[in-house]
Amino acid sequence: MKAAHSLPLLATCLLALAACTPANVKPGASVPTAIKAGQSWVVTRPIVAAQVLDTCSRDSPARQPDGISGYWAPSRAQIDALESRLQQLQPTIAEPTRSGRQYVGFIAGGRQLIYINAFTLPDHDKTNPAREAVRVCDGGAAFWGAVYDPQTGSFSGIATNGGF
């Protein structure tokens, strides 16, 4: 019975996400990359991307001296590569694939990088991570961020939010 109620919600979410698909990705081939405990969304609207990077309880690329010089839309292949490496964040981040994740492609120092904004929202939360920045002040380790370099396949700038 529970699965039957989830299907309309899943279909609605997938349609909403398809509307945000970057131009270099076929509709429906975008995120969420998998239906699993942690789902992911690529944020493509610059105003929402800037809001995602405007963190209040942890460091982010927007707080760095070099700053951010622009935004770009990561491809499906780049997101798949990133997600295949999430386990590398352990033990700093416990079970990184269980978090919901927003991905923002940004340019800093002439390099195309991807910021991961990770979060755990309550089951009945009305936030739409495909269209809204998920920003939580404090909240502890359930809210974290990291920078992924698609050229090297490495992570940096791993930070969790402050305590409760």
Side-chain angles (χ1 to χ4, degrees):
M1 190 74 159
K2 186 176 179 183
H5 292 293
S6 298
L7 289 176
L9 177 61
L10 175 61
T12 301
C13 289
L14 290 174
L15 286 174
L17 291 172
C20 295
T21 302
N24 62 344
V25 179
K26 291 186 221 173
S30 184
V31 286
T33 55
I35 303 303
K36 55 187 172 189
Q39 295 183 28
S40 59
W41 295 266
V42 173
V43 175
T44 58
R45 294 175 51 215
I47 192 159
V48 177
Q51 292 169 349
V52 168
L53 290 163
D54 184 21
T55 58
C56 64
S57 294
R58 67 175 181 257
D59 197 15
S60 78
R63 294 181 177 202
Q64 300 304 312
D66 294 346
I68 295 170
S69 60
Y71 299 99
W72 62 284
S75 71
R76 173 68 186 253
Q78 289 167 318
I79 296 301
D80 287 346
L82 180 160
E83 291 196 335
S84 74
R85 292 176 172 93
L86 283 173
Q87 296 302 331
Q88 293 175 13
L89 296 171
Q90 291 180 314
T92 305
I93 304 298
E95 300 185 76
T97 59
R98 294 199 50 82
S99 298
R101 297 172 304 281
Q102 289 178 308
Y103 298 125
V104 174
F106 70 98
I107 301 169
R111 296 182 58 95
Q112 288 188 328
L113 304 168
I114 301 171
Y115 183 69
I116 306 164
N117 180 42
F119 49 87
T120 302
L121 296 175
D123 287 339
H124 302 292
D125 193 280
K126 300 287 186 204
T127 304
N128 180 349
R131 297 195 177 274
E132 303 170 57
V134 177
R135 294 185 68 223
V136 174
C137 294
D138 299 324
F143 300 90
W144 56 272
V147 174
Y148 175 75
D149 184 334
Q151 287 82 31
T152 64
S154 62
F155 295 94
S156 63
I158 303 163
T160 60
N161 279 18
F164 295 105

